[in-house]
Amino acid sequence: MKALTSILLRGAIPVLASLFLTAGAQSQTLSGIRIGEEVSAASRVAGKPVAKVPAGPHEEIRFKLPDGNRLAVATDMDSRRIVYAEEKWGGHPHGRPADFPGFTYGETTLADIRAHADNSGFAFSERLIDDRPDGLRLFNAYEVEGAPGLVVTFVTKMSRKDANRLKSKKEQVDINRSARLESIILADAGYLDSIWGEQKLKGKAYKPIRWGSPQERASLELVPGQ
């Protein structure tokens, strides 16, 4: 019986590996939208746009999703292909689950993101922070493992109160715990270079992030030694 189980598991490994790779290729989307597909796919998934804004050789199209979250996509005007997609949490409880497996809007901290990726990612020199009246936003970007030219950026937000405490230097503020996930950006690397600049800050421990799916993780748990 033990030998039979071993044989069955060995036979299952190639199948599970195939499922792992296939699911991974399908999971790198935001609200079902994939970078590089035709812009018409956005309307099929997200419905009627609420706004369209020209941006040089690109056009930004904005949607309001049924769960209260907001989606913005940028398309190349010539090819009509999507080069940028951003989903932003609308603040509603039912909009908390993020497309990145295991992450939750308003709950996942910058520390959680760094722990999952096993590094801090990289930053565009021209897009390090965004200081607004309602709080301070931080941008941590990663190349997506197994998907050349694809970059995911996690935007975390510190409250105005914590941001002011950080600026005053009178109180210690743990940025890693204070900053919580507000939005996720999935984009073509070349497009990000064109809007945020090519200069990047990248630590020695940097490596791409793996974007899997809950199904992949469950499958891998069945394989001994993984």
Side-chain angles (χ1 to χ4, degrees):
M1 183 67 180
K2 196 171 183 180
L4 177 60
T5 301
S6 178
I7 292 172
L8 289 174
L9 283 172
R10 287 201 302 271
I13 289 175
V15 176
L16 292 174
S18 175
L19 288 172
F20 177 87
L21 293 173
T22 303
Q26 296 175 346
S27 63
Q28 295 154 5
T29 63
L30 281 182
S31 298
I33 294 171
R34 190 182 310 280
I35 300 303
E37 65 184 347
E38 293 184 357
V39 66
S40 58
S43 293
R44 289 199 301 269
V45 172
K48 186 178 179 180
V50 296
K52 292 185 178 182
V53 182
H58 300 90
E59 180 181 48
E60 182 180 328
I61 307 173
R62 301 170 184 170
F63 303 85
K64 186 173 182 179
L65 303 175
D67 60 9
N69 291 351
R70 295 188 176 274
L71 175 72
V73 300
T75 65
D76 181 275
M77 296 289 281
D78 293 328
S79 69
R80 303 302 295 167
R81 298 279 177 178
I82 297 172
V83 293
Y84 174 105
E86 178 177 11
E87 183 180 44
K88 183 177 180 180
W89 183 41
H92 304 290
H94 52 284
R96 284 180 179 273
D99 285 288
F100 196 92
F103 287 8
T104 304
Y105 291 120
E107 295 181 8
T108 297
T109 65
L110 181 54
D112 295 330
I113 295 169
R114 288 172 166 169
H116 176 88
D118 198 27
N119 71 100
S120 298
F122 67 87
F124 289 83
S125 297
E126 297 179 24
R127 197 60 171 170
L128 287 171
I129 61 173
D130 184 13
D131 195 358
R132 301 182 187 179
D134 64 338
L136 183 69
R137 289 164 178 81
L138 310 172
F139 296 76
N140 290 71
Y142 297 86
E143 296 163 299
V144 178
E145 182 180 302
L150 190 64
V151 173
V152 59
T153 304
F154 301 103
V155 184
T156 54
K157 176 187 172 184
M158 295 179 64
S159 68
R160 182 75 269 160
K161 179 180 179 180
D162 281 350
N164 288 338
R165 288 169 56 206
L166 182 67
K167 289 181 179 179
S168 69
K169 299 181 181 180
K170 294 180 180 179
E171 299 179 67
Q172 287 192 343
V173 178
D174 186 347
I175 297 176
N176 285 314
R177 298 295 176 187
S178 174
R180 296 179 180 271
L181 184 64
E182 182 184 62
S183 68
I184 297 177
I185 298 168
L186 191 61
D188 173 80
Y191 176 72
L192 291 183
D193 284 349
S194 72
I195 62 172
W196 292 347
E198 297 183 10
Q199 188 175 355
K200 303 174 182 69
L201 302 175
K202 186 182 296 186
K204 292 182 179 180
Y206 170 77
K207 62 181 179 180
I209 195 170
R210 173 172 291 178
W211 186 321
S213 71
Q215 290 79 11
E216 291 172 24
R217 294 178 184 177
S219 297
L220 286 176
E221 288 175 359
L222 298 176
V223 183
Q226 297 296 318

